[in-house]
mmCIF file of all heavy atoms in Angstrom:
data_model
loop_
_atom_site.group_PDB
_atom_site.id
_atom_site.type_symbol
_atom_site.label_atom_id
_atom_site.label_comp_id
_atom_site.label_asym_id
_atom_site.label_seq_id
_atom_site.Cartn_x
_atom_site.Cartn_y
_atom_site.Cartn_z
ATOM 1 N N ALA A 1 117.763 -30.124 46.107
ATOM 2 C CA ALA A 1 117.324 -31.280 45.384
ATOM 3 C C ALA A 1 116.390 -32.063 46.223
ATOM 4 O O ALA A 1 116.516 -31.962 47.561
ATOM 5 C CB ALA A 1 118.536 -32.023 44.855
ATOM 6 N N HIS A 2 115.684 -32.945 45.724
ATOM 7 C CA HIS A 2 114.757 -33.821 46.530
ATOM 8 C C HIS A 2 115.596 -34.905 47.262
ATOM 9 O O HIS A 2 115.297 -35.098 48.463
ATOM 10 C CB HIS A 2 113.752 -34.396 45.627
ATOM 11 C CG HIS A 2 112.825 -33.500 44.916
ATOM 12 N ND1 HIS A 2 113.074 -32.815 43.762
ATOM 13 C CD2 HIS A 2 111.530 -33.086 45.508
ATOM 14 C CE1 HIS A 2 112.013 -31.982 43.540
ATOM 15 N NE2 HIS A 2 111.167 -32.130 44.488
ATOM 16 N N TYR A 3 116.597 -35.435 46.573
ATOM 17 C CA TYR A 3 117.419 -36.592 47.183
ATOM 18 C C TYR A 3 118.816 -36.346 46.934
ATOM 19 O O TYR A 3 119.159 -35.838 45.834
ATOM 20 C CB TYR A 3 116.945 -37.799 46.596
ATOM 21 C CG TYR A 3 115.515 -38.279 46.765
ATOM 22 C CD1 TYR A 3 114.447 -37.898 45.838
ATOM 23 C CD2 TYR A 3 115.103 -39.069 47.887
ATOM 24 C CE1 TYR A 3 113.188 -38.179 46.039
ATOM 25 C CE2 TYR A 3 113.708 -39.372 48.098
ATOM 26 C CZ TYR A 3 112.775 -38.925 47.175
ATOM 27 O OH TYR A 3 111.429 -39.254 47.292
ATOM 28 N N VAL A 4 119.669 -36.695 47.857
ATOM 29 C CA VAL A 4 121.057 -36.824 47.639
ATOM 30 C C VAL A 4 121.607 -38.082 48.251
ATOM 31 O O VAL A 4 121.261 -38.421 49.346
ATOM 32 C CB VAL A 4 121.744 -35.532 48.255
ATOM 33 C CG1 VAL A 4 121.500 -35.450 49.701
ATOM 34 C CG2 VAL A 4 123.254 -35.510 47.988
ATOM 35 N N ARG A 5 122.511 -38.674 47.442
ATOM 36 C CA ARG A 5 122.976 -40.078 47.849
ATOM 37 C C ARG A 5 124.439 -40.235 47.799
ATOM 38 O O ARG A 5 125.115 -39.760 46.833
ATOM 39 C CB ARG A 5 122.288 -41.140 46.990
ATOM 40 C CG ARG A 5 122.874 -42.525 47.260
ATOM 41 C CD ARG A 5 122.211 -43.686 46.474
ATOM 42 N NE ARG A 5 120.849 -44.139 47.042
ATOM 43 C CZ ARG A 5 120.768 -44.910 48.153
ATOM 44 N NH1 ARG A 5 121.813 -45.346 48.732
ATOM 45 N NH2 ARG A 5 119.592 -45.246 48.493
ATOM 46 N N ASP A 6 125.005 -40.883 48.784
ATOM 47 C CA ASP A 6 126.512 -41.251 48.825
ATOM 48 C C ASP A 6 126.452 -42.748 48.815
ATOM 49 O O ASP A 6 125.505 -43.453 48.813
ATOM 50 C CB ASP A 6 127.330 -40.626 49.872
ATOM 51 C CG ASP A 6 126.745 -40.838 51.250
ATOM 52 O OD1 ASP A 6 126.190 -41.914 51.564
ATOM 53 O OD2 ASP A 6 127.035 -39.977 52.168
ATOM 54 N N ALA A 7 127.769 -43.304 49.173
ATOM 55 C CA ALA A 7 127.860 -44.798 49.169
ATOM 56 C C ALA A 7 127.194 -45.431 50.421
ATOM 57 O O ALA A 7 126.942 -46.635 50.366
ATOM 58 C CB ALA A 7 129.437 -45.011 49.201
ATOM 59 N N LEU A 8 126.831 -44.627 51.459
ATOM 60 C CA LEU A 8 126.220 -45.162 52.557
ATOM 61 C C LEU A 8 124.701 -45.034 52.691
ATOM 62 O O LEU A 8 123.948 -45.877 53.047
ATOM 63 C CB LEU A 8 126.745 -44.499 53.876
ATOM 64 C CG LEU A 8 126.166 -44.758 55.139
ATOM 65 C CD1 LEU A 8 126.614 -46.329 55.485
ATOM 66 C CD2 LEU A 8 126.778 -43.962 56.336
ATOM 67 N N GLU A 9 124.173 -43.844 52.200
ATOM 68 C CA GLU A 9 122.822 -43.549 52.452
ATOM 69 C C GLU A 9 122.244 -42.478 51.470
ATOM 70 O O GLU A 9 122.958 -41.856 50.687
ATOM 71 C CB GLU A 9 122.624 -42.983 53.879
ATOM 72 C CG GLU A 9 123.346 -41.763 54.168
ATOM 73 C CD GLU A 9 123.174 -41.284 55.558
ATOM 74 O OE1 GLU A 9 122.416 -41.740 56.364
ATOM 75 O OE2 GLU A 9 124.033 -40.387 55.935
ATOM 76 N N VAL A 10 120.902 -42.383 51.512
ATOM 77 C CA VAL A 10 120.233 -41.356 50.746
ATOM 78 C C VAL A 10 119.482 -40.473 51.712
ATOM 79 O O VAL A 10 118.969 -41.007 52.735
ATOM 80 C CB VAL A 10 119.289 -41.976 49.622
ATOM 81 C CG1 VAL A 10 118.162 -42.799 50.326
ATOM 82 C CG2 VAL A 10 118.663 -40.804 48.843
ATOM 83 N N ILE A 11 119.497 -39.175 51.512
ATOM 84 C CA ILE A 11 118.815 -38.244 52.394
ATOM 85 C C ILE A 11 117.712 -37.564 51.426
ATOM 86 O O ILE A 11 118.150 -37.029 50.338
ATOM 87 C CB ILE A 11 119.789 -37.219 52.933
ATOM 88 C CG1 ILE A 11 120.804 -37.889 53.873
ATOM 89 C CG2 ILE A 11 118.954 -36.118 53.840
ATOM 90 C CD1 ILE A 11 120.344 -38.607 55.062
ATOM 91 N N GLN A 12 116.550 -37.340 51.971
ATOM 92 C CA GLN A 12 115.550 -36.475 51.223
ATOM 93 C C GLN A 12 115.632 -35.070 51.818
ATOM 94 O O GLN A 12 115.702 -34.989 53.147
ATOM 95 C CB GLN A 12 114.237 -37.068 51.345
ATOM 96 C CG GLN A 12 113.161 -36.403 50.431
ATOM 97 C CD GLN A 12 111.869 -37.190 50.294
ATOM 98 O OE1 GLN A 12 111.601 -38.107 51.005
ATOM 99 N NE2 GLN A 12 111.009 -36.577 49.509
ATOM 100 N N CYS A 13 115.476 -34.100 50.935
ATOM 101 C CA CYS A 13 115.501 -32.774 51.375
ATOM 102 C C CYS A 13 114.393 -31.861 51.093
ATOM 103 O O CYS A 13 114.164 -30.742 51.556
ATOM 104 C CB CYS A 13 116.816 -32.079 50.787
ATOM 105 S SG CYS A 13 118.431 -32.970 51.325
ATOM 106 N N VAL A 14 113.618 -32.419 50.123
ATOM 107 C CA VAL A 14 112.343 -31.634 49.666
ATOM 108 C C VAL A 14 111.279 -32.794 49.312
ATOM 109 O O VAL A 14 111.662 -33.746 48.781
ATOM 110 C CB VAL A 14 112.578 -30.750 48.415
ATOM 111 C CG1 VAL A 14 111.309 -30.180 47.906
ATOM 112 C CG2 VAL A 14 113.667 -29.740 48.623
ATOM 113 N N GLY A 15 110.015 -32.530 49.786
ATOM 114 C CA GLY A 15 108.974 -33.543 49.450
ATOM 115 C C GLY A 15 108.777 -33.646 47.932
ATOM 116 O O GLY A 15 109.038 -32.614 47.303
ATOM 117 N N ASP A 16 108.373 -34.831 47.485
ATOM 118 C CA ASP A 16 108.287 -35.081 46.069
ATOM 119 C C ASP A 16 107.291 -34.118 45.475
ATOM 120 O O ASP A 16 107.488 -33.750 44.203
ATOM 121 C CB ASP A 16 107.843 -36.454 45.858
ATOM 122 C CG ASP A 16 108.809 -37.609 46.299
ATOM 123 O OD1 ASP A 16 109.946 -37.096 46.557
ATOM 124 O OD2 ASP A 16 108.492 -38.719 46.348
ATOM 125 N N HIS A 17 106.284 -33.612 46.124
ATOM 126 C CA HIS A 17 105.292 -32.780 45.537
ATOM 127 C C HIS A 17 105.567 -31.319 45.685
ATOM 128 O O HIS A 17 104.667 -30.543 45.613
ATOM 129 C CB HIS A 17 103.868 -33.194 46.004
ATOM 130 C CG HIS A 17 103.475 -34.569 45.549
ATOM 131 N ND1 HIS A 17 102.947 -34.839 44.377
ATOM 132 C CD2 HIS A 17 103.533 -35.724 46.224
ATOM 133 C CE1 HIS A 17 102.658 -36.160 44.270
ATOM 134 N NE2 HIS A 17 103.089 -36.722 45.363
ATOM 135 N N ARG A 18 106.824 -31.034 46.154
ATOM 136 C CA ARG A 18 107.252 -29.619 46.124
ATOM 137 C C ARG A 18 108.332 -29.443 45.028
ATOM 138 O O ARG A 18 109.240 -30.343 44.887
ATOM 139 C CB ARG A 18 107.906 -29.350 47.542
ATOM 140 C CG ARG A 18 106.828 -29.101 48.649
ATOM 141 C CD ARG A 18 106.253 -27.671 48.661
ATOM 142 N NE ARG A 18 105.425 -27.379 49.621
ATOM 143 C CZ ARG A 18 104.723 -26.347 49.879
ATOM 144 N NH1 ARG A 18 104.941 -25.310 48.903
ATOM 145 N NH2 ARG A 18 103.911 -26.159 50.775
ATOM 146 N N VAL A 19 108.396 -28.185 44.555
ATOM 147 C CA VAL A 19 109.532 -27.901 43.546
ATOM 148 C C VAL A 19 110.827 -27.787 44.332
ATOM 149 O O VAL A 19 110.776 -27.051 45.321
ATOM 150 C CB VAL A 19 109.133 -26.671 42.862
ATOM 151 C CG1 VAL A 19 110.265 -26.167 41.969
ATOM 152 C CG2 VAL A 19 107.945 -26.819 41.870
ATOM 153 N N ALA A 20 111.807 -28.441 43.866
ATOM 154 C CA ALA A 20 113.199 -28.168 44.420
ATOM 155 C C ALA A 20 113.937 -27.399 43.274
ATOM 156 O O ALA A 20 113.663 -27.470 42.150
ATOM 157 C CB ALA A 20 113.887 -29.481 44.639
ATOM 158 N N TYR A 21 115.033 -26.592 43.800
ATOM 159 C CA TYR A 21 115.713 -25.760 42.822
ATOM 160 C C TYR A 21 116.967 -26.428 42.466
ATOM 161 O O TYR A 21 118.031 -26.131 42.914
ATOM 162 C CB TYR A 21 116.018 -24.439 43.516
ATOM 163 C CG TYR A 21 114.771 -23.635 43.925
ATOM 164 C CD1 TYR A 21 114.700 -23.001 45.126
ATOM 165 C CD2 TYR A 21 113.543 -23.646 43.092
ATOM 166 C CE1 TYR A 21 113.418 -22.222 45.439
ATOM 167 C CE2 TYR A 21 112.426 -22.968 43.426
ATOM 168 C CZ TYR A 21 112.392 -22.351 44.616
ATOM 169 O OH TYR A 21 111.275 -21.702 45.009
ATOM 170 N N HIS A 22 116.790 -27.289 41.559
ATOM 171 C CA HIS A 22 117.936 -28.225 41.134
ATOM 172 C C HIS A 22 118.375 -27.972 39.653
ATOM 173 O O HIS A 22 119.485 -28.516 39.318
ATOM 174 C CB HIS A 22 117.624 -29.645 41.373
ATOM 175 C CG HIS A 22 116.416 -30.142 40.706
ATOM 176 N ND1 HIS A 22 116.478 -30.752 39.406
ATOM 177 C CD2 HIS A 22 115.089 -30.112 40.974
ATOM 178 C CE1 HIS A 22 115.215 -31.111 39.019
ATOM 179 N NE2 HIS A 22 114.435 -30.644 39.926
ATOM 180 N N CYS A 23 117.644 -27.302 38.805
ATOM 181 C CA CYS A 23 118.058 -27.077 37.459
ATOM 182 C C CYS A 23 117.254 -25.879 36.913
ATOM 183 O O CYS A 23 116.476 -25.351 37.616
ATOM 184 C CB CYS A 23 117.810 -28.321 36.590
ATOM 185 S SG CYS A 23 116.068 -28.846 36.380
ATOM 186 N N GLY A 24 117.540 -25.473 35.730
ATOM 187 C CA GLY A 24 116.941 -24.259 35.276
ATOM 188 C C GLY A 24 115.461 -24.316 35.059
ATOM 189 O O GLY A 24 114.712 -23.355 35.300
ATOM 190 N N TYR A 25 114.925 -25.486 34.711
ATOM 191 C CA TYR A 25 113.460 -25.706 34.605
ATOM 192 C C TYR A 25 113.157 -26.906 35.617
ATOM 193 O O TYR A 25 113.283 -28.019 35.382
ATOM 194 C CB TYR A 25 113.084 -26.212 33.267
ATOM 195 C CG TYR A 25 111.628 -26.150 32.931
ATOM 196 C CD1 TYR A 25 110.977 -25.101 32.476
ATOM 197 C CD2 TYR A 25 110.902 -27.393 33.185
ATOM 198 C CE1 TYR A 25 109.604 -25.154 32.319
ATOM 199 C CE2 TYR A 25 109.512 -27.475 33.052
ATOM 200 C CZ TYR A 25 108.914 -26.399 32.574
ATOM 201 O OH TYR A 25 107.535 -26.407 32.358
ATOM 202 N N ASN A 26 112.616 -26.402 36.761
ATOM 203 C CA ASN A 26 112.428 -27.259 37.895
ATOM 204 C C ASN A 26 111.092 -27.932 38.006
ATOM 205 O O ASN A 26 110.843 -28.974 38.692
ATOM 206 C CB ASN A 26 112.736 -26.562 39.203
ATOM 207 C CG ASN A 26 114.140 -25.906 39.304
ATOM 208 O OD1 ASN A 26 115.082 -26.692 39.113
ATOM 209 N ND2 ASN A 26 114.241 -24.731 39.400
ATOM 210 N N GLN A 27 109.986 -27.259 37.468
ATOM 211 C CA GLN A 27 108.613 -27.703 37.689
ATOM 212 C C GLN A 27 108.391 -29.106 37.246
ATOM 213 O O GLN A 27 108.779 -29.549 36.192
ATOM 214 C CB GLN A 27 107.746 -26.770 36.971
ATOM 215 C CG GLN A 27 106.150 -26.939 37.213
ATOM 216 C CD GLN A 27 105.916 -26.545 38.577
ATOM 217 O OE1 GLN A 27 106.305 -25.648 39.166
ATOM 218 N NE2 GLN A 27 105.042 -27.439 39.261
ATOM 219 N N ASP A 28 107.736 -29.868 38.132
ATOM 220 C CA ASP A 28 107.181 -31.214 37.806
ATOM 221 C C ASP A 28 108.416 -32.256 37.672
ATOM 222 O O ASP A 28 108.198 -33.252 36.948
ATOM 223 C CB ASP A 28 106.277 -31.230 36.629
ATOM 224 C CG ASP A 28 105.042 -30.430 36.764
ATOM 225 O OD1 ASP A 28 104.638 -30.305 38.040
ATOM 226 O OD2 ASP A 28 104.501 -29.986 35.894
ATOM 227 N N SER A 29 109.458 -31.997 38.258
ATOM 228 C CA SER A 29 110.599 -32.897 38.104
ATOM 229 C C SER A 29 111.157 -33.182 39.526
ATOM 230 O O SER A 29 111.203 -32.284 40.442
ATOM 231 C CB SER A 29 111.727 -32.407 37.163
ATOM 232 O OG SER A 29 112.288 -31.197 37.731
ATOM 233 N N ILE A 30 111.808 -34.347 39.762
ATOM 234 C CA ILE A 30 112.346 -34.717 40.991
ATOM 235 C C ILE A 30 113.874 -34.632 40.842
ATOM 236 O O ILE A 30 114.524 -35.372 39.873
ATOM 237 C CB ILE A 30 111.883 -36.070 41.546
ATOM 238 C CG1 ILE A 30 110.509 -36.040 41.926
ATOM 239 C CG2 ILE A 30 112.907 -36.580 42.625
ATOM 240 C CD1 ILE A 30 109.913 -37.292 42.311
ATOM 241 N N GLY A 31 114.600 -33.768 41.518
ATOM 242 C CA GLY A 31 116.035 -33.720 41.505
ATOM 243 C C GLY A 31 116.816 -34.758 42.287
ATOM 244 O O GLY A 31 116.424 -34.928 43.557
#
């Protein structure tokens, strides 16, 4: 996913303009 957040912080794992594999239809969406 592009971002993951807990109570302390958010971490980015994929650039916004790259497809992340977070749902069945991933294109043009930020997970």
Side-chain angles (χ1 to χ4, degrees):
H2 295 87
Y3 300 88
V4 56
R5 177 177 277 282
D6 61 25
L8 176 66
E9 62 185 346
V10 61
I11 303 293
Q12 186 170 7
C13 303
V14 178
D16 295 347
H17 294 281
R18 283 275 181 186
V19 172
Y21 299 141
H22 58 95
C23 63
Y25 188 89
N26 299 301
Q27 187 67 41
D28 297 335
S29 65
I30 291 175

